[in-house]
């Protein structure tokens, strides 16, 4: 499964490059914003936490498996590995589809000076962050495919970095930029899962 996990990680990386190419072709802008963020800022830590987490889970964990690192017994089962493969494939495809659904508004990172269209259609009708939801699915699958301590640590880093990015960077930015249009939307639609993490009435008036 380690080789298959590395191949799927490579496919994920290629689709990420393809998304940037498509974005530049359609808009003249590749959508990359994270490199303009100051080192040490909250967004910087969130972004690189996610990036290192993906490398640890998708690359370091399979290599560790190939070099003899034992899997965690509680997760080491053929059925779990098979389910993990299916989740990884589904998550990778869903990530790409959700990115395409954002159209010209798709970005990696937040530029505080920029105002993009608030996307509430397609998969964004079900959850506010379908891209991150799909990434979680993909890397949960990769973790189950190569269930060692390295993969689990990487997946934990992805979860923490994503929570920081969404809760502390993107949601405050969207509130400032779109005001009640965003808070009304967030009160109806869950954060990562349908119906879960909706903005409460007492949060809608926060700034």
């Amino acid at each position: 499964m380690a080789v298959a996990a590395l191949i799927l990680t490579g496919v994920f990386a290629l689709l990420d490059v393809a998304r940037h190419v498509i974005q530049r072709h359609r808009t003249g802008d590749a959508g990359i914003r994270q490199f303009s963020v100051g080192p040490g800022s909250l967004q910087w830590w969130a972004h690189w936490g996610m990036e290192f987490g993906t490398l640890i889970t998708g690359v370091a964990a399979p290599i560790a498996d190939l070099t003899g690192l034992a899997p965690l017994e509680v997760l080491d089962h053929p059925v779990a590995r098979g389910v993990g493969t299916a989740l990884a494939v589904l998550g990778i495809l869903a990530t790409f589809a959700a990115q395409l659904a954002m159209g010209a508004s798709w970005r990696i990172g937040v530029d505080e000076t920029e105002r993009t269209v608030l996307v509430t259609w397609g998969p964004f009708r079900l959850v506010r962050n379908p891209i991150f939801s799909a990434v979680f699915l993909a890397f949960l699958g990769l973790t189950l495919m190569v269930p060692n301590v390295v993969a689990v640590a990487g997946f934990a880093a992805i979860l923490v970095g994503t929570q920081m990015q969404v809760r502390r960077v993107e949601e405050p930015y969207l509130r400032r930029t779109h005001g009640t249009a965003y808070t009304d939307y967030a009160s109806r639609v869950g954060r990562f899962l349908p119906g879960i993490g909706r903005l409460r009435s007492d949060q809608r008036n926060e700034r």
Side-chain angles (χ1 to χ4, degrees), residues 13-122:
L14 288 174
L15 287 177
D16 186 56
V17 172
R19 180 66 188 102
H20 287 294
V21 172
I22 292 169
Q23 188 79 355
R24 182 175 289 281
H25 177 74
R26 289 179 175 177
T27 68
D29 182 346
I32 301 172
R33 299 292 182 271
Q34 74 268 29
F35 297 120
S36 62
V37 176
S41 66
L42 183 63
Q43 185 175 180
W44 186 88
W45 281 109
H47 170 75
W48 289 110
M50 289 185 287
E51 289 293 318
F52 281 118
T54 60
L55 288 174
I56 291 168
T57 301
V59 179
I63 291 175
D65 181 270
L66 291 171
T67 56
L69 180 65
L72 295 170
E73 186 174 348
V74 68
L75 298 175
D76 187 21
H77 192 281
V79 173
R81 290 178 186 259
V83 170
T85 303
L87 291 178
V89 172
L90 178 61
I92 290 168
L93 295 176
T95 299
F96 189 62
Q99 289 173 336
L100 291 177
M102 284 198 75
S105 293
W106 179 71
R107 298 287 185 275
I108 298 293
V110 171
D111 181 349
E112 292 284 349
T113 66
E114 196 170 25
R115 181 186 177 92
T116 57
V117 173
L118 178 63
V119 179
T120 60
W121 54 82

